[in-house]
Amino acid sequence: MPAAQRPASRSGSQRPGSRRPASQRPGDRYGDPKVRRTGLAPGLLGAIALLAGLALIDSPGFIVIRYLVAILAIIVGVFAFQARQWWWLPLLAAIAVIWNPVFPLDWSGQAWVGAQYIAVLVFVIAGVLIKVPTTEEDTRR
């Protein structure tokens, strides 16, 4: 059928079998499909726990925050190790040591509040920047 006699297509619709431009492929829509941000979820959870812990600093319930933060710092550290981003390991290890509930450091006042905010920044930035390359196996799922 000549182009002049073809019915007008609906806007945005594609004919079956037509090739989409690279910018509209589903795999490319949400960023680089060759990497995964494995540290993002535990990093954001750690930041949320730290911000919630600001209200509990001088209460007995802060022990739960210590457990959460220490465990999540170790998890993000493992993801940093897998991604071969070694520079995150000292910061995350420091968070795991400072917030460890087994041998707690007796901090109080503004120093402890400031440490909470610094740890929030470390968790969020590490979660966003730690990327693990995907394998052929991951793309098959």
Side-chain angles (χ1 to χ4, degrees), residues 75-86 88-89 130:
I75 290 170
V76 175
V78 168
F79 289 138
F81 181 79
Q82 288 176 345
R84 294 189 174 117
Q85 294 185 3
W86 318 111
W88 290 110
L89 294 178
I130 293 174

Side-chain angles (χ1 to χ4, degrees), residues 73 76-77 80-81 84-94 121-131:
V76 175
F81 181 79
R84 294 189 174 117
Q85 294 185 3
W86 318 111
W87 53 90
W88 290 110
L89 294 178
L91 296 172
L92 294 166
L121 286 175
V122 170
F123 267 123
V124 170
I125 294 171
V128 169
L129 295 181
I130 293 174
K131 300 175 188 174

Side-chain angles (χ1 to χ4, degrees), residues 18-75:
S18 67
R19 182 144 171 91
R20 291 182 182 177
S23 64
Q24 293 180 358
R25 289 189 202 132
D28 297 343
R29 184 178 310 158
Y30 300 109
D32 190 1
K34 296 177 184 81
V35 295
R36 292 179 299 154
R37 295 183 194 276
T38 54
L40 185 60
L44 292 178
L45 287 173
I48 291 168
L50 284 162
L51 291 174
L54 287 171
L56 300 172
I57 283 182
D58 291 330
S59 72
F62 191 67
I63 192 79
V64 174
I65 301 299
R66 284 182 179 265
Y67 273 105
L68 284 173
V69 171
I71 290 169
L72 290 170
I74 292 169
I75 290 170

Side-chain angles (χ1 to χ4, degrees), residues 93-119:
I95 291 172
V97 168
I98 292 170
W99 273 267
N100 93 65
V102 179
F103 300 108
L105 297 176
D106 192 25
W107 284 15
S108 62
Q110 293 301 317
W112 193 235
V113 173
Q116 294 271 115
Y117 284 117
I118 291 170

